[in-house]
């Protein structure tokens, strides 16, 4: 492709993208494809000779686009937002064309300097103390754009570990680094994101999950203090605490001020994971949750979620960049000196050596929308969520088991978890709406997140109407119209963990640290239950084995999908769809699209538990 | 910005990018800015109201572009290539507009499936065994796109660590995980990239640097075997080896076949870091270096370097994905089953939960160029490097201290290191060419890498002419025209380490594990020496302290730039440029642009060593 073709094709793509984004409401939000759909559509190897852009782009439309989950759709309510915007797209076009690597100041000065500047801008926008800013004369800290919140959490844990080993070596000269490391313990809520657990696993430090309050789903200072006391008595060395502002399961908030006071007193590294909620802190009315942040050592949130800066872009700040440097190789000498405006080498702030010029898209977005424009966007999302909450609350068949915060509502059908699970699968299998579930203290809930700036009141009315109609059908079929209030019994942490296995294996569970280790992308959240189970077991030749042995059934089912290659549990859809096709060949007459969806139990445990 | 403005601006940007990339030869490759240049040009905070795209784009051109190091320039010979291409830019435009997150199959099926497919394509293109491919029925492995080679190395180390702890727990039930971890030892060449050292630091495992051969600058099986024997005798547990194919300093190659045989015998995890050279393996004539790869557990290279897929895009393959899963949370059950074509969840293959849809740009590039087109691109780069090598070899003032491989030539002026260092700084300060240095067994060399597909024979002739003219001027000034051959004395590893401090602190040194811990982006590589030192020390009020105390001098100088905030050593340019401006105010008559560049010693140690 020569430059003249690039000029032509690039402009065509701009129009295509404009059409895609404005017309996205009409698309099926979750694609109607099954695992392995793509491989038969493409050659086994790269072409020997170059192909025309026409061919490539046609394949993109024919092969790729039908398999995309459309995160920009107004009917996308799953996970958290992952938005783009025209300003972000344009900024990144320029960054990609320059394609400089920013590891040191000199590797591309503008890349480092613009990042320092926009990170200071963003710090001011959410009201961080000046000690987190580069430009502040008395600050040893500053901001950096990381790839993901997972990475920010891990880096924070590593920095805290470095400091803990240093401090404890000085205090206990008889201990060596690995002895200290073996006794380190970190803390987070049982509602924290799975990336906190992952950070502990990679960092080889134990993670202590603190039981969140049953009502607020947050943790407070007292809970932490008690855990610290017990752990210290057991000879462990507490060193790092993660406070979550806006949990994945229910957008709940830990009490940052109380945790901060404990961490300050006990000399623990305090990290604030505000991956989703952080964007909302640009509105002063939501900033109260950030109270106490001056006692935190590090904080991160994702402009790549709600601020319309497309992925990847995680804003992370630290109060002492020295801790990062000591973690990543450099042991600097310290002297008092004023340094405002000078250059830094971001290679010492991150795991990777190189980084993309991500500051550019962030700069474009902040300037194009302005603070007011971004605040309006956040507030509109919150208003829509409140509106949806009101709709749900007005229908007595539903309950909202956790207080709504910001742009996310969690709700469920009153009664057994299975009802809500069935509802979610039916809703998702339509492709009209996409949601994912969460487990809140033993209750299966549907998370409904407002994501797209294109979402309107009409959209969420349509969505709720569809949810209600689906619920009606489920309740009618099962003759369970009058369901009593679910008892609000307190479920202890241990029991929650046991109960989790009953929820099957859905993504959102995988995002919580207490979830089963074997996770399923969304199979459990998409397909309906039990109908084909007998046929399924027949095909698996399970009839040959002792059906009274649940262990055998479990192992065969898990083994099918978790063999040597560790396939997604989604893979089961493959097996089922094959069966389904064969069913169809047999019957041919079934034109009901609901029934033509493959159905099977999403978890062998569940089947067993109903025995 | 509404969609109509996006249509207009997007198309304007396509033309701008086309003009930028085709006109890049005329730009100064390294910018004429100094640390902190940008902050006075932009407001202290984000605008309250949104700004027009016109204003934003004008600022981009006025403020950002003059501070960019132009990695796409035909005169960019620093680091390794980091190329883009029209196909890559177009693919990424589409990925950005979709902006899906690929953590599980279901989060966007096309994202996962296309990645599996293109990684298989790429594996075939470089001739990897089928056990590294997803599509192979008997394979437990597959490919994944990571963010950087640093991350791939770290993940490989973690996976190796997990396996080592597992194996050793079984073999020595009396040891616990942290005791095992404390005794683990990993291996790499003294020429390996700094990210290998960083991986060991983060992973809390010791790294044993094996002395590379003085001639080939690679390590072999015998070197590894000896180290293993000694370390085992010392009670350590060897577990992981990194073989580098194409080192940063000289593009040297470790003997993969020999290392593989040792690792197989000794049950060590073998990782292959082919970050740069990996792209060349698409040409069969360069694939002999890959011999033995069937014995490796993991391998990574960067299509984001030489294959014109813009950053970030690191291709990584493993033979047993189970090891990654066990590292990142999942402990799967194993059963025999054929699974070709099924889905996987990439969240278990990486540190982060989420990932970008990077497969799209890779797919566009592979199809747009075809294998033949990419081979031609690689071969052209190698031919140009050979041509440059011949030019250098024909001039007796220069020497080529390490064999040229692929697209990189290392050369130096015969004689003391200081001569070559001066040459590099003069060349770089012109902004016409950009190179970085390396330290090869005590010899300071200039690395000259062919990067851009736009580079022509005329370009490198121009470049070498300029280098020769600069060298002539230096040699004439210093009356050192007839310099004897540098003695090829073998320098032991320990001595190399000592000598490194004399090289000051340049980026490439920072990329090698044996380099000083305090690194300098490129200050050392850009500015000339010593002239302003007295004035500089006066301003620092060093006259007040005992100048006979090198420690005091060192601490003050380092402290200036490495204070609590850990600024880049490039920051010193700031101080110097202030001085320089004041000098200019005094003299006003100096119109020589060379002289107007700030000058100072790049390393306090160096100043001390000349005392």
């Amino acid at each position: 492709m020569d430059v003249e073709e690039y000029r032509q094709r690039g402009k065509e793509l701009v129009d295509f993208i404009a059409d895609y984004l404005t017309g996205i409401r009409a698309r099926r939000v979750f694609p109607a494809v099954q695992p392995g759909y793509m491989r038969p559509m493409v050659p086994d190897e790269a072409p020997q000779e170059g192909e025309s852009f026409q061919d490539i782009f046609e394949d993109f439309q024919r092969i790729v686009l039908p398999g995309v989950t459309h995160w920009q759709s107004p009917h996308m309510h799953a996970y958290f937002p992952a938005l783009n915007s025209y300003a972000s797209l344009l900024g990144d076009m320029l960054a990609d064309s320059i394609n400089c690597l920013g590891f040191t100041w000199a590797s591309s000065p503008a890349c480092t300097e613009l990042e320092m500047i926009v990170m200071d801008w963003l710090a001011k926008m959410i009201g961080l103390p000046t000690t987190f800013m580069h430009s502040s004369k008395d600050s040893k800290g500053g901001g950096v754009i990381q790839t993901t919140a997972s990475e920010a959490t891990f880096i924070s844990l590593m920095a805290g570990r470095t400091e803990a080993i240093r401090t404890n070596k000085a205090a206990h000269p008889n201990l060596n680094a690995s002895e200290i490391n073996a006794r380190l313990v970190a803390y987070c809520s049982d509602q924290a994101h799975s990336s906190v657990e992952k950070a502990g696993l990679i960092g080889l430090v134990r993670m202590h999950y603190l039981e969140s309050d049953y009502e607020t789903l947050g943790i407070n200072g007292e809970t932490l203090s008690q855990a610290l006391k017990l752990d210290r008595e057991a000879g462990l060395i507490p060193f790092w605490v993660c406070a979550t502002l806006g949990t994945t399961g229910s957008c709940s908030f830990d009490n940052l001020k109380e945790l901060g006071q404990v961490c300050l007193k006990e000399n623990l590294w305090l990290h604030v994971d505000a991956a989703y909620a952080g964007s909302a802190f640009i509105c002063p009315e939501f900033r109260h949750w950030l109270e106490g942040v001056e006692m935190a050592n590090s904080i991160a949130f994702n402009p790549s979620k709600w601020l319309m800066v497309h992925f990847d872009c995680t804003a992370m700040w630290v109060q002492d960049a020295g801790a990062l440097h000591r973690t990543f190789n450099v042991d600097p000498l310290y002297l008092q000196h004023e340094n405002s405006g000078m250059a830094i080498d971001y290679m010492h702030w991150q795991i990777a050596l190189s980084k993309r010029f991500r500051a550019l898209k962030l700069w474009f977005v902040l300037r194009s929308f302005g603070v007011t424009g971004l605040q309006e966007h956040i507030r509109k999302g919150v208003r829509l969520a409140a509106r949806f909450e009101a709709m749900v609350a007005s229908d007595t068949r539903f309950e909202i088991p956790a207080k709504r915060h910001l742009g996310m509502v969690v709700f469920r059908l009153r009664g057994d978890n299975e009802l809500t699970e069935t509802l979610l699968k039916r809703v998702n299998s339509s492709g009209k709406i996409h949601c994912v579930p969460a487990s809140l203290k033993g209750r299966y809930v549907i998370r409904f997140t407002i994501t797209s700036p294109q979402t309107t009141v009409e959209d969420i009315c349509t969505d709720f109407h569809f949810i209600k109609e689906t619920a009606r059908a489920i309740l009618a079929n099962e003759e369970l119209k009058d369901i009593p209030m679910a008892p609000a019994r307190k479920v202890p942490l241990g029991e929650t963990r046991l109960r989790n296995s009953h929820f099957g294996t859905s993504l959102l569970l995988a995002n919580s640290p207490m979830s089963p280790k074997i996770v399923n992308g969304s199979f459990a959240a998409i397909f309906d239950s039990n109908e084909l189970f007998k046929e399924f077991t027949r095909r698996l030749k399970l009839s040959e084995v002792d059906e009274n042995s649940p262990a055998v059934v479990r192992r065969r089912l898990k083994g099918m999908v978790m063999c040597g290659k560790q396939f997604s549990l989604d893979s089961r859809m493959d097996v089922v769809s094959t069966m389904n096709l064969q069913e169809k060949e047999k019957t041919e007459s079934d034109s009901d699209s609901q029934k033509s969806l493959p159905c099977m139990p999403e978890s062998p445990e569940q089947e067993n538990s109903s025995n």
Side-chain angles (χ1 to χ4, degrees), chain A residues 125 276 279-287 306-308 370-387 404 406-407 450 452-453 455:
Chain A
M125 284 170 68
Y276 165 65
S279 295
F281 299 152
I282 64 167
C283 304
E285 67 269 30
F286 301 126
R287 216 173 282 163
W306 208 359
L307 276 196
M308 300 180 287
V371 176
T372 306
L374 291 170
Q375 286 171 335
E376 277 168 12
H377 159 66
I378 296 290
R379 285 170 183 146
K380 184 190 157 203
V382 176
R383 272 199 313 275
L384 284 174
R387 185 78 174 255
R404 181 206 43 90
L406 301 175
I450 306 291
S452 164
T455 307

Side-chain angles (χ1 to χ4, degrees), chain A residues 73-99:
Chain A
S73 166
H75 299 294
M76 176 70 171
H77 304 298
Y79 317 113
F80 278 130
L83 304 175
N84 59 22
S85 60
Y86 298 125
S88 184
L89 296 178
L90 295 176
D92 214 35
M93 275 174 72
L94 290 171
D96 282 354
S97 67
I98 292 170
N99 197 37

Side-chain angles (χ1 to χ4, degrees), chain A residues 379-398:
Chain A
R379 285 170 183 146
K380 184 190 157 203
V382 176
R383 272 199 313 275
L384 284 174
R387 185 78 174 255
F388 184 82
E389 179 190 23
M391 289 189 239
V392 176
S394 71
D395 189 322
T396 53
R397 294 171 297 183
F398 294 100

Side-chain angles (χ1 to χ4, degrees), chain A residues 44-109:
Chain A
D44 282 343
E45 33 189 72
Q48 195 60 37
E49 302 304 323
E51 298 176 276
S52 76
F53 187 79
Q54 190 67 29
D55 286 348
I56 299 170
F57 186 62
E58 277 172 13
D59 280 353
F60 165 78
Q61 295 187 282
R62 182 176 62 87
I63 299 169
V64 176
L65 218 44
V68 165
T69 304
H70 297 290
W71 285 64
Q72 310 309 308
S73 166
H75 299 294
M76 176 70 171
H77 304 298
Y79 317 113
F80 278 130
L83 304 175
N84 59 22
S85 60
Y86 298 125
S88 184
L89 296 178
L90 295 176
D92 214 35
M93 275 174 72
L94 290 171
D96 282 354
S97 67
I98 292 170
N99 197 37
C100 61
L101 303 191
F103 33 85
T104 56
W105 178 85
S107 71
S108 204

